[in-house]
């Protein structure tokens, strides 16, 4: 072991070429070094292996039995070492890995479900582990490799992680079809007098960004129900007279609801949704390909438009703002 520890990669390559060419001159030419340099390496190799390795026979050099015995394992070692520097090619059809993702139920429903559907077609060997998003631990879990991805709003992104904007989301209002407040159009006064349901990710909160926006107009609303997730809200609306403010993508296919823009002059700024990941997978070809697939999926997703919802409403769908 002590003797082998003195070897370096250049010496191993020199030995491989010496055994192959049986020529110091040819080996020096192939390695772009001087003949004395190769002679010095051969002297160190002879000392290490305690064998002359190449001996002169007439005007030529020939390999000793020890050198010939080293030829095959040496070539295998060098081939394996060379493969370490070769670029990894990601083949989705044969790929096998586990992708751990944290997201809200809204992001799972609107982003990850169509992504997983595409992934099952192009890369059936990749498995997905979905986790509830915990904003307090997401960054640490990404940095430590517990999570591969997290789908976060812009304010949750940090410089220590990598992030890619997936889309800009806007807020729309929704209630059941035939709600009394819709007769003649939903005004801000009717909006405030209605009973509302809000999503409080931490659970139990009865205020959200809509309430802050109303306060700036010296107005308030009554929140009757608070829930920790988005997905149950649309179904709740169909069974009650409650009103909700929800991300537009969550309402894109809800033809059983009346969907309308926040009544003027109420303005509810949208938010950006980001894919966030750590340094561990940043340059990995497989994860780069998966990030592109997710980005392409988000780009192809149709946004809700006025003709997807109730045409009887006098309030038009609020325009999507870039960035």
């Amino acid at each position: 072991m002590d003797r082998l520890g003195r070897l370096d990669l250049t010496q191993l390559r020199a030995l491989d070429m010496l055994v192959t060419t049986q020529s110091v001159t040819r080996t020096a030419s192939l390695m772009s070094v001087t003949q004395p340099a190769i002679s010095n390496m051969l002297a160190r190799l002879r000392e290490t292996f305690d064998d002359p390795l190449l001996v002169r026979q007439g005007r030529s050099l020939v390999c000793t039995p020890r050198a010939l015995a080293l030829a095959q394992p040496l070539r295998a070692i060098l081939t394996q070492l060379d493969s370490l520097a070769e670029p990894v090619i990601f083949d989705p059809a044969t790929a096998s890995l586990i992708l751990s993702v944290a997201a809200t139920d809204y992001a799972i429903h609107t982003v990850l479900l169509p992504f997983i559907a595409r992934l099952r077609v192009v890369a059936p060997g990749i498995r997905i582990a979905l986790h509830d998003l915990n904003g307090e631990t997401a960054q640490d879990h990404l940095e430590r490799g517990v999570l591969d991805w997290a789908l976060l709003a812009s304010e949750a992104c940090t410089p220590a992680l990598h992030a890619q904007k997936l889309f800009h989301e806007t807020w729309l209002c929704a209630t059941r079809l035939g709600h009394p407040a819709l007769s003649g159009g939903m005004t801000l006064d009717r909006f405030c007098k209605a009973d509302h349901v809000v999503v409080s990710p931490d659970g139990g909160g009865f205020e959200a960004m809509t309430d802050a926006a109303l306060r700036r107009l010296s107005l308030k609303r009554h929140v009757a129900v608070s829930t920790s997730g988005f997905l149950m809200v649309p179904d709740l609306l169909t069974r009650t007279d409650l009103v909700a403010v929800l991300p537009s993508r969550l309402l894109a296919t809800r033809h059983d609801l009346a969907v309308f823009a926040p009544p003027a002059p109420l303005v509810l700024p949208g938010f950006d949704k980001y894919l966030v990941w750590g340094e561990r997978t940043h340059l990995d070809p497989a994860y780069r390909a998966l990030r592109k697939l997710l980005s392409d999926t988000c780009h192809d997703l149709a946004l809700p438009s006025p003709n997807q919802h109730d045409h009887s409403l006098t309030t038009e769908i609020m325009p999507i703002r870039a960035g």
Side-chain angles (χ1 to χ4, degrees), residues 268-282:
L268 301 176
F271 61 93
D272 295 330
K273 182 61 73 173
Y274 281 82
L275 169 63
V276 183
W277 65 94
E279 185 66 30
R280 183 179 65 89
T281 61
H282 181 54

Side-chain angles (χ1 to χ4, degrees), residues 147-169:
L147 290 173
D148 298 312
W149 291 355
L151 298 183
L152 303 172
S154 55
E155 60 268 18
C157 299
T158 65
L161 299 169
H162 298 277
Q164 176 184 356
K165 180 180 173 181
L166 296 175
F167 57 83
H168 181 73
E169 180 64 287

Side-chain angles (χ1 to χ4, degrees), residues 4 75 83 129 157 163 232 238 248 300:
L4 292 177
R75 174 96 311 260
S83 70
C157 299
M232 60 85 65
T238 65
S248 62
D300 295 340

Side-chain angles (χ1 to χ4, degrees), residues 194-323:
D195 288 334
H196 290 251
V197 53
V198 300
V199 177
S200 173
D202 296 329
F206 283 85
E207 284 200 359
M209 54 90 194
T210 300
D211 300 281
L214 287 172
R215 276 196 295 272
R216 289 192 287 270
L217 299 172
S218 299
L219 298 171
K220 64 181 298 185
R221 63 175 177 169
H222 178 253
V223 176
V225 177
S226 171
T227 176
S228 61
F230 285 95
L231 291 191
M232 60 85 65
V233 175
D235 288 336
L236 179 63
L237 297 180
T238 65
R239 304 181 185 189
T240 66
D241 282 339
L242 293 171
V243 175
V245 177
L246 296 169
S248 62
R249 282 169 173 77
L250 193 61
L251 298 168
T253 59
R254 294 304 301 238
H255 307 293
D256 56 343
L257 292 173
V259 179
F260 53 95
L266 179 62
V267 176
L268 301 176
F271 61 93
D272 295 330
K273 182 61 73 173
Y274 281 82
L275 169 63
V276 183
W277 65 94
E279 185 66 30
R280 183 179 65 89
T281 61
H282 181 54
L283 297 178
D284 186 275
Y287 289 91
R288 291 174 65 180
L290 292 173
R291 293 197 296 268
K292 185 178 186 305
L293 180 62
L294 180 65
S295 178
D296 290 345
T297 300
C298 291
H299 181 268
D300 295 340
L301 289 177
L303 293 173
S305 60
N307 59 12
Q308 289 178 289
H309 302 298
D310 189 357
H311 289 268
S312 65
L313 301 178
T314 58
T315 307
E316 295 182 353
I317 298 297
M318 124 184 222
I320 303 297
R321 299 188 305 161

Side-chain angles (χ1 to χ4, degrees), residues 43-122:
R44 290 194 293 272
L45 289 166
R46 285 167 168 166
E47 181 182 351
T48 297
F49 289 100
D50 194 22
D51 186 90
L53 298 175
L54 283 96
V55 296
R56 187 162 296 280
Q57 183 172 300
R59 300 179 62 181
S60 304
L61 291 175
V62 294
C63 293
T64 66
R66 175 71 164 138
L68 292 175
L70 289 171
Q72 185 173 348
L74 178 60
R75 174 96 311 260
I77 291 171
L78 291 174
T79 299
Q80 289 183 328
L81 289 173
D82 287 339
S83 70
L84 294 177
E86 293 178 357
V88 178
I89 298 175
F90 172 63
D91 181 6
T94 59
S96 177
L97 60 87
I98 297 175
L99 180 66
S100 297
V101 188
T104 63
D105 62 343
Y106 149 73
I108 290 174
H109 181 78
T110 60
V111 177
L112 293 178
L113 288 189
F115 167 74
I116 292 172
R118 288 190 177 188
L119 190 65
R120 295 300 304 154
V121 175
V122 300

